Amino acid sequence: MTLLQVDNLRVRYDTPRGPLWAVDQLSFKLESGEMVALVGESGSGKSTTALAILGLVPYSGGTVETGEIWYGGRNLLALDEREFRKLRASEIALVFQDASAALNPFLTIGLQLAEVLEVHRGLSRREALKESARALGDVGIPDPESRLHAYPHELSGGQRQRALIAMSLVAKPKVLIADEPTTALDPAVALAVLDLLKREREERGAGVVLVSHDLELVHATANRVHVMYAGRVIEQADAHELFERPWHPYTAALWRARARIGGERQHRLAAVPGAPAELTALPPGCAFHPRCELATDRCRRERPDLSGLRRAETGVSLSSGRRAACFEKERVAGAHAEAFDA
Amino acid sequence: MSALVELVDLTVAYAERGGERRLKAVDGVSLSLARGSSAALVGESGSGKSTLARALAGLVEPEGGAIRFDGREVASLSQAERFALRRRVQLVFQDPFASLDPRLSVEELLGEPLEIHRVGDARARRARSFALLEAVGLSTQDIGRYPHEFSGGQRQRLAIARALALEPELLILDEPTSALDVSVQAQILNLLASLRERFGLAYLFITHDLSLVHQMCERVAVMYFGRVVEENDVAAFFREPLHPYSKALVALARRAADARTLLVSAEAPSPFDLPPGCSFHPRCPRRAELGSRCVDERPALERLGRERAPSVACHLLDSERAR
């Protein structure tokens, strides 16, 4: 079942240096129980997409120029703020990154959780607190009834993070937006958070949009991946296919460039030259061409759209709806095919 | 190889904000760093790795123990000698957006350390700035520009150039790539590798990123609540980490299937309420194997052989050796 469908989203910001489109021509679907990842570097548009799904683009000073975001038979972008507010937290919730910034230090954990339930589910204070204790227990906080009375600073860092996740999950939202949910966390706590998100997907069919720059994380946890560069999706594929045989030179280069633990140490890493594209000064043609070793004259003139491979003989499956926005993707995909044959 | 820096039973403590309790952020650490070598301090947040680095750079005063540089105890040096020592140890921070003064031009940023240490005249300083820019892969035409005109990766290059201005022997690099875009991180690590070869620098990385350690370092020390629990050769460490906590960290970094079984609890206890005996015992899956010994007695860091052999602070290894 499709939970969320984003169609042709385009978001503009007006800056002193002129308008820029943080997101352009973005479309994707989120199915029940699935984790879809938006990966990219700074300026790729991944976080702006998350803001758009939460209806927060106007608050960030931007404008949704075109596009529709469908949820439960309604286009979210056509809702007024009052209607959107009802959905936020109860149906579509953000999993915050930084617990110390997102919790109110003057309110007990119990009141902060209960408030969500009172507002969104109309529960009484008493019922809401009971439900809140259950939510804290669900995320692995020991002795949840007594923890309801604790203030944020009285919890350990890891427990604060769990309490915050409990707050995101307490109203059982169908769609979870997780923007870099583990970057600030120690590795064991990060793993526990990922396990919690997985449980929400498996036990009640929640869908997760994971926004991240961490390719290893995405590879290990997401079902489908949209790689973004300069506001556009440049490659989309199932997670295991994407990293095993990338079609876009940017995806391939990012994956090769990372330091890794397994195997022999490399003398030097396979670095990608240059810096991520500046949205206020995009080059003509493909935005990645100044950093791409395969770039041709055509890439410098013309912008490629997302499409499948032109030839079937590369041996890459065409069934999954994989697409990449690159004129040379057959060469990239073919290079892997040769490497595999050899 | 003679040691460039030696820490002997170093302790650094902080007073709790608004409270009376004291926290030993570094608690009796002994380590040595060879000239021209590259080592890493790893551990979770609150392990004391950054505090140790700050003490080494002379930014916080140790409460006890000694720091020796070239065999001479830093505490015994005169003020002038300590000032001179500052030149030899430089820091590179995580966030080049925060660590570079936005009001200073590249020329001022690179010239300032030279001016403070009264190295050369204006012309010599300018020549030195050009050489530094070239060394870190920036253009000499950048000399009049300001930090905001650079990308994140270029800013980190600039921060490295500034750290190199006084020809230090040791660079302390505190998460030098974690604020950078993924595609740029490899550029900076490659640059650091080349600079080390070219200038014979020693590096001490402070990081939670084990893939960086694998790529860049020869030795690694794992810290847990202010103490070193393992010190090892990097290749051996990744092949077979020895301390139960190291095993968990490596398995987590590898996303190994058994990573969840290697820690009893994902969360560390409060630093103000440390468990008795081995601080790691409440999270250790093997804590019951030696009866109550891990609760009763704190294990010392012991070397398991000769000079370059690993050191581990764990009763389990101790009892295995005894057998």
Side-chain angles (χ1 to χ4, degrees):
Chain A
M1 188 185 83
T2 302
L3 285 177
L4 188 79
Q5 183 165 343
V6 177
D7 280 328
N8 200 23
L9 185 70
R10 183 172 160 98
V11 179
R12 191 189 75 220
Y13 286 87
D14 290 311
T15 77
R17 289 199 264 172
L20 61 83
W21 286 270
V23 174
D24 200 4
Q25 291 188 1
L26 181 93
S27 301
F28 74 90
K29 264 187 200 172
L30 176 69
E31 304 287 336
S32 172
E34 186 183 47
M35 179 185 272
V36 167
L38 304 175
V39 285
E41 301 182 275
S42 52
S44 65
K46 58 189 196 302
S47 291
T48 304
T49 307
L51 285 182
I53 298 169
L54 291 159
L56 298 174
V57 164
Y59 297 93
S60 69
T63 313
V64 177
E65 272 196 349
T66 65
E68 290 158 7
I69 299 177
W70 291 93
Y71 173 83
R74 291 195 287 175
N75 176 11
L76 298 181
L77 296 177
L79 299 183
D80 64 35
E81 174 51 27
R82 207 174 49 89
E83 292 170 306
F84 218 128
R85 195 170 290 168
K86 279 191 203 153
L87 287 181
R88 235 180 267 137
S90 63
E91 307 271 326
I92 300 175
L94 177 65
V95 178
F96 291 92
Q97 181 182 150
D98 183 357
S100 46
L103 288 168
N104 184 333
F106 299 108
L107 292 179
T108 61
I109 296 291
L111 283 181
Q112 298 191 52
L113 282 157
E115 190 185 8
V116 178
L117 293 165
E118 288 168 33
V119 170
H120 290 287
R121 301 246 305 273
L123 299 188
S124 69
R125 170 64 53 89
R126 189 195 184 87
E127 290 167 325
L129 281 172
K130 209 171 141 194
E131 192 71 355
S132 302
R134 184 198 51 74
L136 286 178
D138 276 353
V139 296
I141 291 184
D143 192 14
E145 278 83 12
S146 80
R147 298 277 85 182
L148 286 178
H149 307 294
Y151 287 89
H153 75 269
E154 296 175 295
L155 303 182
S156 71
Q159 289 204 349
R160 260 199 307 271
Q161 193 65 30
R162 283 174 195 258
L164 193 64
I165 288 175
M167 203 159 101
S168 306
L169 303 180
V170 69
K172 299 192 166 54
K174 277 283 179 229
V175 174
L176 293 165
I177 312 291
D179 192 349
E180 306 282 10
T182 60
T183 10
L185 305 179
D186 284 320
V189 178
L191 183 63
V193 166
L194 293 172
D195 285 347
L196 283 171
L197 292 179
K198 191 169 179 198
R199 200 180 67 196
E200 293 295 309
R201 289 160 51 202
E202 289 174 351
E203 288 184 3
R204 53 178 198 85
V208 179
V209 178
L210 171 70
V211 177
S212 181
H213 70 282
D214 182 344
L215 302 183
E216 300 262 4
L217 169 72
V218 166
H219 180 237
T221 57
N223 304 104
R224 286 185 302 119
V225 184
H226 298 259
V227 183
M228 298 185 72
Y229 193 79
R232 290 170 172 245
V233 172
I234 54 99
E235 178 159 14
Q236 60 186 58
D238 288 345
H240 62 279
E241 284 186 351
L242 181 82
F243 295 112
E244 220 134 275
R245 291 186 177 193
W247 288 1
H248 199 287
Y250 174 65
T251 316
L254 269 189
W255 190 239
R256 266 201 316 266
R258 73 198 199 287
R260 59 205 92 165
I261 292 174
E264 284 290 295
R265 179 191 293 181
Q266 311 154 72
H267 175 64
R268 290 286 188 271
L269 296 166
V272 190
E278 287 276 347
L279 290 170
T280 48
L282 283 184
C286 170
F288 185 61
H289 90 249
R291 309 176 72 190
C292 182
E293 53 186 20
L294 299 178
T296 65
D297 280 345
R298 188 180 182 198
C299 308
R300 290 183 263 275
R301 280 195 318 267
E302 205 180 314
R303 186 154 59 187
D305 285 322
L306 282 170
S307 63
L309 286 191
R310 277 188 298 271
R311 290 168 298 162
E313 62 266 28
T314 49
V316 179
S317 158
L318 297 176
S319 60
S320 64
R322 269 195 85 165
R323 294 189 296 161
C326 175
F327 296 126
E328 301 296 325
K329 58 183 173 294
E330 287 77 14
R331 277 170 71 192
V332 183
H336 308 304
E338 279 160 29
F340 275 75
D341 291 343
Chain B
M1 238 182 306
S2 65
L4 178 65
V5 184
E6 268 181 297
L7 308 179
V8 185
D9 205 18
L10 190 75
T11 300
V12 185
Y14 294 117
E16 182 189 20
R17 232 179 312 176
E20 287 174 5
R21 297 180 295 186
R22 285 182 74 71
L23 175 72
K24 282 188 180 171
V26 176
D27 187 5
V29 168
S30 299
L31 277 179
S32 91
L33 192 64
R35 209 171 287 282
S37 67
S38 175
L41 282 178
V42 302
E44 292 171 303
S45 46
S47 63
K49 56 188 195 297
S50 288
T51 301
L52 183 81
R54 292 170 65 81
L56 192 51
L59 299 177
V60 292
E61 227 19 65
E63 184 176 85
I67 301 173
R68 293 195 195 124
F69 214 87
D70 272 342
R72 295 189 63 193
E73 212 167 292
V74 174
S76 71
L77 300 178
S78 69
Q79 280 239 288
E81 286 172 314
R82 290 182 82 163
F83 182 71
L85 182 62
R86 291 262 168 105
R87 287 182 61 170
R88 303 171 62 187
V89 183
Q90 294 289 321
L91 267 159
V92 175
F93 296 98
Q94 174 176 6
D95 186 356
F97 292 79
S99 65
L100 296 172
D101 187 335
R103 295 165 302 180
L104 299 187
S105 71
V106 168
E107 183 167 13
E108 290 164 323
L109 281 167
L110 298 181
E112 190 184 57
L114 298 166
E115 225 170 301
I116 290 171
H117 284 267
R118 305 215 177 116
V119 179
D121 57 12
R123 174 190 289 220
R125 288 200 286 268
R126 192 175 170 86
R128 177 87 185 124
S129 300
F130 281 133
L132 288 165
L133 286 174
E134 179 271 321
V136 299
L138 291 172
S139 162
T140 51
Q141 291 172 0
D142 292 333
I143 192 98
R145 295 168 74 198
Y146 286 82
H148 74 267
E149 298 176 66
F150 294 92
S151 68
Q154 289 173 322
R155 267 183 247 202
Q156 198 58 305
R157 287 176 193 268
L158 203 51
I160 292 167
R162 183 173 148 97
L164 293 178
L166 293 162
E167 302 180 62
E169 288 155 78
L170 172 64
L171 278 194
I172 299 172
L173 300 133
D174 193 350
E175 305 279 11
T177 57
S178 63
L180 302 178
D181 275 308
V182 181
S183 72
V184 176
Q185 291 179 4
Q187 294 174 12
I188 297 299
L189 293 181
N190 286 349
L191 171 68
L192 288 170
S194 316
L195 291 171
R196 190 176 151 224
E197 286 167 8
R198 186 166 161 190
F199 299 117
L201 296 160
Y203 287 162
L204 180 64
F205 286 92
I206 312 300
T207 186
H208 67 280
D209 179 358
L210 291 187
S211 60
L212 181 155
V213 176
H214 182 262
Q215 177 65 25
M216 302 294 292
C217 303
E218 288 127 31
R219 301 291 292 188
V220 57
V222 181
M223 289 188 72
Y224 192 74
F225 281 113
R227 301 177 74 88
V228 172
V229 296
E230 175 167 352
E231 196 275 331
N232 205 343
D233 169 72
V234 163
F237 177 78
F238 285 107
R239 209 166 37 239
E240 198 200 348
L242 297 168
H243 194 281
Y245 178 60
S246 312
K247 288 184 200 295
L249 288 185
V250 171
L252 283 161
R254 287 188 194 280
R255 299 185 188 280
D258 66 350
R260 286 172 193 78
T261 65
L262 296 176
L263 284 176
V264 172
S265 145
E267 278 135 52
S270 158
F272 289 110
D273 195 14
L274 282 185
C278 171
S279 316
F280 182 62
H281 87 255
R283 299 172 81 192
C284 182
R286 299 182 63 189
R287 62 185 163 184
E289 287 179 25
L290 300 176
S292 66
R293 189 168 171 208
C294 300
V295 185
D296 296 337
E297 188 189 330
R298 185 154 73 179
L301 184 69
E302 283 184 57
R303 198 169 288 285
L304 309 177
R306 303 184 56 157
E307 208 181 323
R308 306 281 291 164
S311 301
V312 187
C314 178
H315 294 312
L316 286 161
L317 280 122
D318 197 30
S319 76
E320 277 162 23
R321 267 199 311 167
R323 251 185 272 139

